[in-house]
Structures are given as structure tokens and as C-alpha cells.
Amino acid sequence: MLYDFAIIGAGVTGAAISRELSKYKVNVVVIEKLSDIATETTKANSGIVHAGYDAPAGSWKAKMNVKSNPLFDQVCNDLYIPFKRIGSFVVALAGQGTGYIEELYQNGVERGIPVEIIKDLAAIKKLEPNISNETEAVLHAPTAGVISPFLLAIAMAESANINGVEFHFNSPVQNIENMGKFFIVDTPSRSFQAKAIVNAAGLYADEVSKMAGDETFKITPRKGEYLLLDKMGDFVRKVLFPVPTKKSKGILVSPTIDGNIFLGPNARDQDSKLDTSTTLSGLDEVIEGGRKLIPNVPLGDSITNFAGLRAVSDTNDFIIGESTKVPRLFQAAGIQSPGLSSCLGIADELVDIIKASPNLSGTEIKLKENFHASREKPVIFHDLSWSERDALIKQDKTFGHIICRCETVTEGEIVQAIKRPIGARTVDGVKFRTRVGMGRCQGGFCTPRVIKLLARELNVDEEEIVKREPSTRYFFGETKDFRKENAPIMNGRPIQQ
Amino acid sequence: MIQKETDVVIIGGGPAGLAAAVEANSAGCKVMIVERDDGLGGILQQCIHPGFGLHEFKEELAGPEYAQRYIDMLGKTKIEVMKGTMVLDMTPKKEIFAINENGVVKIAAKAIVLAMGCRERTRGAIKIPGFRPTGVYTAGTAQRFVNIEGFMPGTRYVILGSGDIGMIMARRLTWEGAKVEAVVEIMPYPSGLIRNKVQCLDDFGIPLYLSHTVVRVHGKDRVTGITIAKVDENWKMVPGTEIFFSCDTLLLSVGLIPENEVSKKAGVKLGKTNGPEVNQFLQTNVDGIFASGNVLQVHDLVDNVAIEAKKAGKMAALAVKGMKIPSVNAGDAVPLVAGNGIGYVLPTKINTIVDDALVKETGTVKISLRVKKPANDINLKVKNGSTEIYKKFYKHMRPSEMIIFELDPVVLNGIDKKLPLEVYIEPKEQKEVAKK
């Protein structure tokens, strides 16, 4: 089969482009190295839709962010993705001056973004009661929002899949051959032929581009570490940015879409594209930064820490468009912050570029008549009223069985997450779709139960179930077999059994 | 929606809930247990090691055996048990909203006993840096994998925390054929019971690293190793003291947190133990809602859980029967505060004006506490202002053991109610010790 487009990478950028292309009468395949949608940079970032005043004027970052921000309401509405425009503050503390936020204010005005500067501490405290008393002024941008980056990516991929896009996981691209009229993309399990390639390979976009014959840019991983706190009502209400200092670009404090609070990220360039480990010094940096904005942030309610890697290009900007070296290689590379905020704009822009490309004149790119903009609404038990819950359980009793007690996730929701198009196949897959295990006990209670449900629904042994990749298994056999082969020692002697 | 009414609702069918239910029932109340699991017994069902019931039944039982004793007692009563039913909400008017396979259940109760137990502190709560691979589990999760599900979660282990579950799992895993490389404890002494250190670590030659902690988890997909390091008095890592262990699993036994999400929904105020603030009648700030077991304070022995829970069950029953149980918020309630050497002390407040009829039912005022660090040859004292109202000598006190002592209600009559009661320890003078 000759595909019209092979999209490499199923992060939020690849997912957005796949959905945009699925509106057209073209054959599209998405090839993903890892086991699921949104498993790398997309799963570990701030989950913020920026207003768009921040990036330098004229940059792709600025253009795409400004274009993308207003598009979120429609997509989130169509695909049932929780999204809240909670607004953001850039916080100028005493001694930092207001020059920086005034600059951003100007950017906002020029770009048509609603912004205001608030200087009255009482007025600021009314909107953000726990903000530092040292606050001198804030830039308020009401159109900034919070979203779950993985739910967004998963929903867009599902939508693309419903509209005919194929997805292949556990398929790292090993080689790309340019055959003139088409490319051959090799992965360990199979090869794909496609007329055009869309490079949305995140951290590996430079390597994919190089395989296709374009070595014009390099991606450097920039680590960002986070501390996630438990849910605590409206203790923090808005996305809070600091004024950057010489030492640090700045640590945010913000609620997540689910009502948790996070602190982070820091920014540390590194060589490794694999090293997503957190460090003591990094977490200390994050805490120190967060406390400047919210001095009494309740660190005792920390539930986890994690790190993500930003894919930073050597131009420090997004790389968007058809390769200047290789015709029909379309780049969506260097997508770091504000990448999540920009993904809808990037998809839109890139598909326009594709449609206009003279190198694709042989491929007719026409809109489908029967594009399904929506998808089946996922049940979120937690959000239902008592009478809705009662009715739902009467219809399907698996919704009367709580699996994750911290996040109130039911068996029914987990089964649904497994059975949907591009359903969950791993414990993390279930987690990112349903919030199972994301709460304060961090999977201590539900992990054994989720493993059981996955095994039951996928009709495999529990031992086969993994957290993420095939190398993330949980078990080393059954206890009775293990004991036979490994006689235990007590007081220096093997125990007879 | 199914609507139900009863006298006493017990939330949780673990050891505390079972004991509270049996007691409330024998006091003549209509009792209902709401349990989220498909069976009763709570965490005891996965505690297949012996050591339960020594005080209560004068026998050494395994966890499930201990639970079965109560389940059998329950079988002879009319106590209603709703299994597979999870409480999601509770109001100050003592209405409970729960769900099970039949739908939403709304229960109107005259009194409630909170007996939801506790959960384990996780990696995130103690900020261990490194990767996030598979192979990092709380000791209780690993215990479930091994004892209930029958799977080996690892072959070579490092265990962080010398809490009882951690040490018991060190033995269990060794018994199952795995290798436990080290048990690592941030404190300068083991945080679990001494008998567990002897029986679970020493007998198997498992090294215990005191004043050490995990400073890094290695392995992106699966744990490949753990680095530990020595810590100073402020729990800061001492550079240059790192030790690396090659292993595939890290177990965490780093403390338990009372599980009070439902309590908070009814407006129950929590105190220093992360459990509800209670008076000597185990009543919370919400009249008619009582708390006992690990949801109130993390206990050392299940026998102590049962004693406390029976009292809560009895108090709930008395409240239903119309006896006035004094409120924690009442003016006569004097705070009990943790003084020198004391980690926490319960009850939060002691009511000083109590009906004779209630005193007759309840007897002495039971006070429970934990000390901050091990101490020998000390006096435990209670003072009100400068007046000492209680003193008892202890040869040893350890944070792993709950200290329970009783105050005669009579001594409370004479105290200055404007001043708190302070519980503290001080070293016994050498001469005095020598005499003993």
C-alpha cells in the first residue's frame, strides 16, 4: 500500500496534524516509536495553553501560538476534552520593576490578545489570594488556559483514527529511503511506503530529518523538572509566571486541569534524549522558584515529581514547512514551549503548506464530505450527578465498581478506555486516559486491579501486562514457580520447603 | 437511588470497623458496615504472617485468621454488611452516599464510626529523584502482589524504610526466594517493632542501613539499581557516602497516612495525626461522628485498634440511645498537647464536665501517644500549668510502639480549665533509677 502521508511521531503535534489531514481524502499512517499516543514530551509538560504575548515578534512560536489559542474551544468541545481558560499572571515582584511585563503587554496589544496590567495588590489578591505579598504588579491574560496534554493528543488521534488514519506503535523508524516519487520508511516490524513524510518526531526530529536527507537542524533536549501536589480547591487559581531572572527562565505555579497544583519547570540542556530523571538539585530549584510566587505553597502535599524533555531546535524557533533540501518532507520540528499551545495552529498551517506545495501536484487534496468532527463522549464518572451515576450503574454495573479511589475512576471507565479506537494497551495507557493512579496514592491501590482488568479485556496473562514499553513488565513469574528455583536462606542455611 | 436508614453506620470493614460493629451491635443498635472491597477484613487479608491477636485472643494468629474471628462473631448478629460499596460522600447531617453494582445508595445514620484505615506514603511524598521505571512499589502493594495475586514483583530488592510492613516484606520476599540487598532507614533507629527487626532482618542476614536514604533510582524502563547515601541530623545527604546496589525493585515502607478524604466532606476537622480531632469519647468535631483505628492514628498492633474501635462503637451506640456525648467544641474541653519528646498525643481534647452516667460507661480516660525518638529510663508526665497530675516510669520508649495510659477522671476535676494538659517525658534521675 502506498500512503499519501506518513506522519512520524504521535505526540500532540503528530496527533493534531493527523486529525487535520483526516479531513481530506488522503491515506495517512502515523508511525510511533513508543507504545502509545503522547508518551514522550507530550506527557510531561505544563499543560498550559498560553495566551500568545510571550514569544518574539515574527517568530513561528508567536505566530502559531496566536493562531492556535482561539482554536481550542471548538476542538475541545467537539472531542469532549476538558479545557478551562483560567487566565495567567506574569508576576513582577518588588525590585524586579515592571519593564518586563510592560513589554509583554505591548506584545499582547499588538497581537490582539486581551491583556491588562494590575498594580493594586488588593485587586491582585482578590483574584489570587495566596500570591506573594511582594507582588508589585501582574500582567493578566484571561485567554490563557489549562488542558490535559495527553487527553488532547489521545482525543485528536482517536478522531483521526475514526476518520481513517492508521496508527502503528512500537515502531521506531530505522531508515528512510527516498525513492524519488515516494519514500520507504523502515521500522523493525514492517516498512511503509508514502508519497510524503510529515516529521513530528519531537526529540528525534533531527534524526528523522537526517534519515530523509535533510541535515539542516539539530534538536537539543532541554530538561524540565516538575513537582506535582495534591488537589486543594482553589488554593492557586491562575497560571502564575515569574519575571525571568539571569539565573533562571522561571518556575511557574499553576493548577492543572484536574485541580492539582504543579511547580516547575526548570530548564537544563543536556545531551541525552533518554534522560528523563529528576534530580535533587533540580527539585530544590523548582521549590525555591515556586515559593517566590506562592510562599505558603503546601509542599507536604507533594504526590509525585517528574521530568520532561523539550525538543529545542538550534534556531530556538519552531521549524515548520517543506524541507528546503528534500521535496515532500514536511517539518513540524523544534516544537518546544509554546508547542502544546500551538499544536492546532501548526496542524492548520502545515496542511495549508502541504496543499500549496508544487511538489505534491500529483496528489489531489480534497475535503471529505463525511468527516466526523466529534467522537463518542467518554464517561467521566467523577463529574456526574448522583442521579446520573445511579442511572449509569443500572445500565452497566461495572460503573458501580471503583478501581481508583483517589480519582474516583470506575471499572466501566477503564473498560471503555481499553475498548475505544486506539484503546489503552498498557497500565500507563489506562492512566493517561482515565486518571487511574494519578492521585495521592500514585497507583498503590489500583495498579494490581488495573493489571487484572487489562489482562481480562485483552485476553492475556497478567504477567504480560506492562506499564509502558515491552521492557516495563511488572512481574517475574508466579511465586510458586519462583520459589522452586530459588531456595531461600535463613541463618545461613537453605530452608527446606 | 436506594435509600436506607439505620442507627450506626461503620465506614470500613477492616479490623477497626469489625470491632466497632460488634460492640455497637451488642449495645443494642441497628448496625451497618459499608465496605468497599468484596470481602471483610481490610488489609489483614494480605497480612499472612503471624503476630496478630496476642493480647486480645492470647494466641498468635495470622492476619486473615484474626479477621475471621470477627467475621464469625459478626455472622451471629444481625449486622448488615454492604460489601463492594464505596462511600463517596458524607454530610454533617450523617447522610452517606455510596455506590455499588446496584446503583447509588443513600444511607441516613444516627451515628457514624469512621474506620477507613490508612494508605501508604508514596515515592512522590518523599521526593526521591531519578527515573520513573516499573519496579518501585509501596511495601503494601508488593505484599498484595505476592500474597494475594501470587506474582513476584522483583528478584532483587532494596527496601526504603524500616517500618513493620517493610521488614515483614523483607522476610516474605526472602522466603519466596528473592534477594533483599538492603533495608535503608533515614532515622538512626529502626522505625518498626524490634521483634520485626530480629525476626525479619537479622535471622536472614539482611543488612539494615540506619541514617541512610535513597538518593537516586536508576533505570528508565525497569529499576536497574538504587543509590543510597548517609544523611546528617537534618536528613541532608552527606556527599561521598553513596552506595550503589544493583537490583530490579525498590520497595517503600515510609509511613502511613490516615485516609480521611470522606471525613473532610462532612466537615470533620483533622489534627496532627492527619486523623480527626477527637475527645476522650472518640467523637469528632461533628456530633455523632466517631473515629477509631488507623483512620484516627496509625497503630502498632491490631489488638490496640480493636480496643479503640470497640470504644468508638460503644460511644456511637450510646449516642443513638440518647446519651449526651460531650462535644469537642464545648467550653469544658481542655486541649491535650504534646510536650517534650512527644510526637503526638490523642485525644486532642479532654472534656472535663462529664455526666456520672457516662463516666460509669466509659471509665478512665485513655491517652495514646508516640515518642519522637527512643529513650530509656524516663518518666512520662502530665501537667496542667505547673501542677503535675500524672507520672509513670518507663524503662524503654520507642517511636515504633504506641504508649497508652489511663487518667482517672477524678484528677480532671481539680484542674485549671483555662490551661492545657501537657504530656511530656523527662529523664528519670540516676539515683531514682538505681533504686529501682
Side-chain angles (χ1 to χ4, degrees), chain A residues 53-105:
Chain A
Y53 51 72
D54 189 43
S59 64
W60 274 114
K61 285 181 179 176
K63 275 187 283 182
M64 292 298 99
N65 192 163
V66 172
K67 179 176 183 172
S68 199
N69 179 298
L71 302 176
F72 274 86
D73 303 275
Q74 181 74 48
V75 169
C76 292
N77 195 46
D78 285 347
L79 297 177
Y80 306 103
I81 303 159
F83 171 54
K84 286 183 205 151
R85 292 195 187 271
I86 60 172
S88 64
F89 277 176
V90 182
V91 182
L93 297 172
Q96 292 180 324
T98 54
Y100 179 72
I101 61 173
E102 277 157 17
E103 224 173 275
L104 296 181
Y105 175 81

Side-chain angles (χ1 to χ4, degrees), chain A residues 18 40 102 108-109 116 128 141 168 242 260 262 270 304 347 383-384 392 440 462 467:
Chain A
S18 74
E40 213 153 50
E102 277 157 17
V109 172
E116 58 172 334
E128 194 63 71
H168 293 266
N260 296 81
F262 78 80
Q270 61 183 38
T304 189
D383 295 345
L384 301 179
L392 181 66
R440 56 188 73 87
E462 284 175 51
K467 181 171 167 64

Side-chain angles (χ1 to χ4, degrees), chain B residues 72-103:
Chain B
D72 291 344
M73 281 183 234
L74 218 68
K76 298 188 185 102
T77 69
K78 286 185 176 151
I79 295 171
E80 184 178 355
V81 181
M82 295 192 83
K83 294 180 201 168
T85 305
M86 175 102 170
V87 174
L88 296 180
D89 203 1
M90 180 171 76
T91 70
K93 287 181 179 166
K94 296 183 278 294
E95 297 160 312
I96 288 168
F97 292 85
I99 64 158
N100 61 26
E101 290 190 345
N102 301 313

Side-chain angles (χ1 to χ4, degrees), chain B residues 296-310:
Chain B
L296 175 60
Q297 58 178 331
V298 175
H299 288 65
D300 52 351
L301 301 176
V302 74
D303 308 72
N304 290 331
V305 167
I307 293 167
E308 187 177 88
K310 280 178 185 165

Side-chain angles (χ1 to χ4, degrees), chain A residues 286-489:
Chain A
V286 162
I287 288 168
E288 195 195 328
R291 275 184 170 159
K292 285 187 183 141
L293 302 178
I294 303 279
N296 60 338
V297 62
L299 297 168
D301 289 317
S302 154
I303 59 173
T304 189
N305 61 72
F306 60 90
L309 300 179
R310 308 172 183 86
V312 182
S313 75
D314 37 18
T315 63
N316 204 25
D317 197 5
F318 300 158
I319 297 168
I320 289 165
E322 189 166 4
S323 162
T324 50
K325 305 271 176 194
V326 182
R328 292 172 288 105
L329 168 63
F330 296 92
Q331 312 278 23
I335 312 297
Q336 54 145 328
S337 179
L340 175 65
S341 315
S342 304
C343 68
L344 302 178
I346 292 171
D348 210 59
E349 184 81 15
L350 196 69
V351 170
D352 281 346
I353 293 170
I354 286 169
K355 284 194 289 187
S357 168
N359 301 314
L360 275 173
S361 50
T363 311
E364 254 198 300
I365 304 175
K366 273 196 185 160
L367 278 173
K368 282 176 190 163
E369 296 85 26
N370 57 348
F371 173 74
H372 304 286
S374 192
R375 61 172 187 152
E376 198 187 318
K377 187 178 179 180
V379 172
I380 303 173
F381 188 84
H382 181 268
D383 295 345
L384 301 179
S385 70
W386 290 112
S387 57
E388 287 169 325
R389 288 173 176 181
D390 195 50
L392 181 66
I393 298 168
K394 295 224 155 69
Q395 223 173 60
D396 180 348
K397 66 178 184 181
T398 61
F399 287 101
H401 185 201
I402 302 275
I403 299 295
C404 170
R405 58 192 192 196
C406 301
E407 298 291 323
T408 325
V409 182
T410 61
E411 180 182 337
E413 289 163 275
I414 293 168
V415 172
Q416 170 190 266
I418 298 168
K419 287 190 169 164
R420 290 186 82 91
I422 323 185
R425 293 290 174 271
T426 62
V427 171
D428 272 3
V430 173
K431 173 178 165 180
F432 288 123
R433 285 166 179 81
T434 65
R435 292 194 55 75
V436 150
M438 284 197 184
R440 56 188 73 87
C441 95
Q442 286 287 296
F445 178 81
C446 62
T447 302
R449 291 157 175 89
V450 173
I451 291 171
K452 264 192 157 67
L453 287 176
L454 272 164
R456 185 187 80 191
E457 294 299 317
L458 301 174
N459 202 18
V460 297
D461 285 344
E462 284 175 51
E463 285 178 67
E464 305 292 315
I465 302 300
V466 292
K467 181 171 167 64
R468 298 184 292 262
E469 315 316 319
S471 50
T472 60
R473 288 168 75 123
Y474 286 92
F475 302 131
F476 292 81
E478 292 187 25
T479 45
K480 58 180 176 6
D481 302 327
F482 195 86
R483 201 164 41 218
K484 266 183 224 156
E485 291 155 22
N486 301 276
I489 309 281

Side-chain angles (χ1 to χ4, degrees), chain B residues 207-219:
Chain B
L208 172 62
Y209 289 83
L210 298 173
S211 299
H212 277 70
T213 194
V214 170
V215 293
R216 193 160 171 86
V217 176
H218 302 264

Side-chain angles (χ1 to χ4, degrees), chain B residues 378-389:
Chain B
I378 39 178
N379 278 321
L380 173 68
K381 292 183 176 179
V382 182
K383 67 179 178 185
N384 172 239
S386 54
T387 317
E388 184 180 302
I389 63 162

Side-chain angles (χ1 to χ4, degrees), chain A residues 69-344:
Chain A
N69 179 298
L71 302 176
F72 274 86
D73 303 275
Q74 181 74 48
V75 169
C76 292
N77 195 46
D78 285 347
L79 297 177
Y80 306 103
I81 303 159
F83 171 54
K84 286 183 205 151
R85 292 195 187 271
I86 60 172
S88 64
F89 277 176
V90 182
V91 182
L93 297 172
Q96 292 180 324
T98 54
Y100 179 72
I101 61 173
E102 277 157 17
E103 224 173 275
L104 296 181
Y105 175 81
Q106 276 310 319
N107 285 350
V109 172
E110 279 160 28
R111 294 171 198 179
I113 302 162
V115 279
E116 58 172 334
I117 290 179
I118 313 175
K119 291 192 170 170
D120 175 34
L121 185 62
I124 294 168
K125 284 253 177 190
K126 213 168 169 189
L127 294 169
E128 194 63 71
N130 292 303
I131 201 166
S132 167
N133 291 328
E134 300 285 296
T135 304
E136 200 177 311
V138 299
L139 175 76
H140 178 210
T143 54
V146 287
I147 195 165
S148 155
F150 24 91
L151 279 190
L152 172 67
I154 289 166
M156 291 193 297
E158 186 181 315
S159 171
N161 185 246
I162 293 166
N163 288 293
V165 174
E166 276 179 39
F167 284 80
H168 293 266
F169 296 101
N170 295 314
S171 303
V173 172
Q174 293 173 313
N175 186 45
I176 298 174
E177 208 161 332
N178 192 338
M179 308 299 286
K181 288 193 170 162
F182 62 93
F183 298 91
I184 299 176
V185 180
D186 292 330
T187 75
S189 53
R190 65 172 277 196
S191 297
F192 301 87
Q193 297 176 60
K195 287 186 205 164
I197 288 176
V198 176
N199 178 13
L203 290 166
Y204 300 87
D206 53 347
E207 292 166 44
V208 165
S209 182
K210 186 177 165 188
M211 282 187 227
D214 179 349
E215 270 189 79
T216 51
F217 65 92
K218 208 178 140 31
I219 300 290
T220 305
R222 181 175 293 162
K223 187 188 280 183
E225 292 167 82
Y226 292 89
L227 198 67
L228 187 73
L229 311 184
D230 205 347
K231 295 179 185 182
M232 46 195 83
D234 56 2
F235 189 82
V236 178
R237 299 177 181 181
K238 292 185 181 297
V239 183
L240 304 179
F241 299 93
V243 169
T245 62
K246 267 183 197 151
K247 215 175 110 194
S248 156
K249 266 193 75 179
I251 307 294
L252 331 183
V253 181
S254 172
T256 69
I257 185 68
D258 301 296
N260 296 81
I261 292 173
F262 78 80
L263 281 64
N266 57 355
R268 293 182 178 184
D269 285 353
Q270 61 183 38
D271 294 328
S272 167
K273 291 179 176 178
L274 296 171
D275 181 3
T276 51
S277 64
T278 53
T279 60
L280 269 181
S281 66
L283 294 173
D284 286 344
E285 182 187 349
V286 162
I287 288 168
E288 195 195 328
R291 275 184 170 159
K292 285 187 183 141
L293 302 178
I294 303 279
N296 60 338
V297 62
L299 297 168
D301 289 317
S302 154
I303 59 173
T304 189
N305 61 72
F306 60 90
L309 300 179
R310 308 172 183 86
V312 182
S313 75
D314 37 18
T315 63
N316 204 25
D317 197 5
F318 300 158
I319 297 168
I320 289 165
E322 189 166 4
S323 162
T324 50
K325 305 271 176 194
V326 182
R328 292 172 288 105
L329 168 63
F330 296 92
Q331 312 278 23
I335 312 297
Q336 54 145 328
S337 179
L340 175 65
S341 315
S342 304
C343 68
L344 302 178

